[in-house]
Amino acid sequence: MSRSSSAERWREARPSLLRWLAGLSLLGLLLAHATQHLQLPGLARLELQLYDARLRLFAPARPDPRIVILDIDERSLAQLGRWPWKRSLLAEVIEKAFSPHGALLLGLDMVLAEPDDSSGLSTLDGLAAGPLRDDAAFSDQLQALRPRLDHDARLARVLQQHAVVLGFHLSNADGAARIGSLPPPSVAPAVMGAQLDHLTRWQGYGGNLDALQQATTQAGFLNALADADGITRRMPLLAQHGGQVYAALPLVLAQTLMGNAAITPVLAPLVQGPAPLVGLSLATPRGPLLLPTDGQAAVLVPYRAAGGDYARYSVADLLAGRLPAGALRGRVVLLGSSAPGLLDQRATPLASAFPGVAVHASLLSGLLDGSLASAPGHAPALEAAMLLLMGLSLLWLLPRLGWPGVIAIALLWLALLMGANFGAWVWARQALPLASGLLLLPGLLGLHLLFAYFGERGAKHRLSALFGHYVPPALVQEMSLHPGRYSMVSRSAELTVLFADVRGFTGIAERLAPAELAVLMHEYFSAMTEIVGAHRGTLDKYMGDALMAFWGAPLDDPDHALHAVQAALAMQAELARLNARFAAAGRPELAISTGIHSGTMVVGDLGSRQRRAYTVLGDNVNLAARLQELCGQRGAGLLISEATHARLGGALPCAALGPVAVRGRQGEVVIYEPLAG
């Protein structure tokens, strides 16, 4: 293989290699992100936004009748006083929720960490222990008043009498304190085993007063997890503090409703090494209930609607006796606040200010339904497999398809991506990644468009540089649609070649001044060359007063013989019009002799290192030149060979002139003269 042909093939292959390199680079980047070897913050944000959109799209619109929110709203604060309320008032709220309204279970979305000194009992106790310690009447009166003045004790008695679950906070803030009391652990550390180290770990806590915590041993933490953008999408069901395991408020409520169901971890099966946590199992009377989680025992909060989609009643209406009949009966009641001043508002995928109590209600609904969505541990592997399949198939298919095919394959992949993702969410409750696939698809399409655009420009430029001197721009444009088909590499092909020579040119040149001769020949060659191009011919070269052209290369042309003969007839007709103008201008008339032959010849770059020449060589080329020479002897303007005549197939009328001897050939050649139609 010649050095020039190797270089040309490398130039042809380079755009494809660059396109593969760019596409594989994009694919590798997204694979590294999918397998968590690289974090792309922008892609992570897009994933969160797509999750939010999917959550909003499929959030159930139906209310959950099992759960009711008792709201410490702004109207309650206006009518009953600013927060914190007296514990006696809180005790009255809880007591009325159960009797007469018949609540089944009540959860407190609040922490009661500080003692209630609003009655002045602590001051009276100080007097009884100090200046009035010897005053028996004072001591007796104080003891008689104590049940009415000890608001914390009254609340503790109410908690002992009813099914109430308290709330507490965990903290990792700098210098996190440990205030109040914690409930008994929800799961023994030995049950969690090695998974204990994977739970979210907290340093401090804000618990309830010891007397209140002792009154009801049940309590759950209130902490949710905010993502990097500050939006609450997840909540841990279990958390670790001081080597002990505690449950979230919604989980404790669900356990209570299910007969204090015990919790056991569920590990991934068939995994080598330490098995990761994939869920929790509740031992309910109806059998185990599986709650899918991530490795930290966190779950995606199954929000129902922008406002929580739960019946909500103001505490002020409860105390005033304005609740509808049966509003709380047999229901789980969550006591919390939507008042902005109490700072229990969270940003969620559904609203920028979402009451914290509604977050707990949403999670409790999902726990009771067993409909928690999860991000499965094998999601990175699924994402990587999808990226590989889509990326490699697109890289292979796109260059081989026309634009309708490109659009069709893009729409097909988009439908597969969205369908699989939405199907997994709706039917399997699995939140699978979507952002990387949605980025890879337009990314590869964009690269394809970019390389196609620059490839087309490069192909046009390259083809124009290679063939612009030989074929007209219209044919270069046609060739650029499939640039890989055309090169100057030498090959053997069936072609038709034409030689046209001006008769008596020497005498004409002697009669004209050089400048005038140049103008004459320029006008002649321009007209003839235009005709060659109009008939899909390739101009080979000018040789003094002669013109050489061929048909069938670089553009394939099954009718190359017909087009060559039609071009020759058109040249004769055009020359008649030129001669009319020449005569009017006092210039000599021209006559041309044209020879055409068809056959196998070598075509390609047959030049030198210093100068390229796209031309044809071979004995069949020489025969066309000999036929052109015979025109003068036979008094004909155009002669064609028997081979060319056979390829016309009767498309043009021709006069058979019989066999003739041709210079340089041993045998005779049968020739024909095409007749103008």
Side-chain angles (χ1 to χ4, degrees), residues 115-117 119-134 138-147 149-153:
D116 182 356
D117 294 328
S119 66
L121 181 60
S122 60
T123 301
L124 295 176
D125 282 337
L127 291 173
L132 301 178
R133 63 179 176 273
D134 297 327
F138 178 80
S139 296
D140 292 343
Q141 189 66 29
L142 179 58
Q143 291 304 317
L145 292 173
R146 183 174 295 279
L149 297 177
D150 192 344
H151 299 326
D152 290 326

Side-chain angles (χ1 to χ4, degrees), residues 303-323:
Y303 294 104
R304 300 179 71 85
D309 208 21
Y310 299 97
R312 188 178 308 198
Y313 302 105
S314 172
V315 169
D317 291 335
L318 171 72
L319 295 179
R322 293 191 293 264
L323 290 191

Side-chain angles (χ1 to χ4, degrees), residues 350-364:
L350 302 183
S352 59
F354 197 86
V357 65
V359 175
H360 299 304
S362 300
L363 182 52
L364 178 57

Side-chain angles (χ1 to χ4, degrees), residues 63-336:
D64 188 343
R66 300 166 298 184
I67 301 172
V68 174
I69 294 175
L70 271 181
D71 193 1
I72 304 172
D73 54 7
E74 291 184 314
R75 186 157 59 89
S76 299
L77 296 176
Q79 294 181 19
L80 302 173
R82 64 183 180 86
W83 190 264
W85 288 343
K86 295 179 181 180
R87 298 285 159 76
S88 58
L89 179 58
L90 195 57
E92 182 182 359
V93 171
I94 296 173
E95 206 162 30
K96 286 195 172 184
F98 284 97
S99 178
H101 287 283
L104 176 65
L105 178 65
L106 188 142
L108 265 66
D109 182 22
M110 60 185 69
V111 181
L112 307 174
E114 304 295 334
D116 182 356
D117 294 328
S118 62
S119 66
L121 181 60
S122 60
T123 301
L124 295 176
D125 282 337
L127 291 173
L132 301 178
R133 63 179 176 273
D134 297 327
D135 190 332
F138 178 80
S139 296
D140 292 343
Q141 189 66 29
L142 179 58
Q143 291 304 317
L145 292 173
R146 183 174 295 279
R148 292 168 53 191
L149 297 177
D150 192 344
H151 299 326
D152 290 326
R154 183 186 175 192
L155 178 57
R157 288 193 297 273
V158 171
L159 295 179
Q160 286 177 331
Q161 295 167 3
H162 301 290
V164 179
V165 179
L166 300 179
F168 65 92
H169 273 290
L170 297 170
S171 174
N172 273 330
D174 293 339
R178 300 181 180 184
I179 301 172
S181 295
L182 291 177
S186 299
V187 184
V191 173
M192 294 302 300
Q195 304 308 316
L196 182 66
D197 294 334
H198 297 286
L199 301 180
T200 53
R201 188 188 304 267
W202 305 85
Q203 303 301 319
Y205 62 84
N208 296 283
L209 283 175
D210 186 63
L212 300 179
Q213 188 60 70
Q214 293 299 323
T216 173
T217 58
Q218 294 177 309
F221 61 81
L222 304 174
N223 302 70
L225 300 175
D227 289 319
D229 56 1
I231 294 179
T232 299
R233 299 179 180 88
R234 299 181 301 136
M235 187 169 180
L237 294 183
L238 298 178
Q240 181 194 161
H241 168 72
Q244 299 296 330
V245 180
Y246 299 94
L249 175 65
L251 180 56
V252 176
L253 290 169
Q255 283 182 278
T256 304
L257 291 170
M258 298 175 187
N260 295 319
I263 302 172
T264 55
V266 179
L267 306 182
L270 305 176
V271 176
Q272 294 182 350
L277 183 71
V278 296
L280 301 175
S281 178
L282 294 184
T284 74
R286 297 183 179 181
L289 174 64
L290 177 63
L291 306 175
T293 71
D294 63 14
Q296 295 180 302
V299 296
L300 298 168
V301 180
Y303 294 104
R304 300 179 71 85
D309 208 21
Y310 299 97
R312 188 178 308 198
Y313 302 105
S314 172
V315 169
D317 291 335
L318 171 72
L319 295 179
R322 293 191 293 264
L323 290 191
L328 308 184
R329 188 166 304 280
R331 291 170 169 79
V332 180
V333 177
L334 290 176
L335 179 58

Side-chain angles (χ1 to χ4, degrees), residues 45-66:
R45 285 194 298 271
L46 176 61
E47 191 70 72
L48 293 176
Q49 292 167 1
L50 289 171
Y51 171 81
D52 294 348
R54 181 175 46 201
L55 186 68
R56 289 191 293 268
L57 180 63
F58 294 107
R62 62 186 185 280
D64 188 343
R66 300 166 298 184

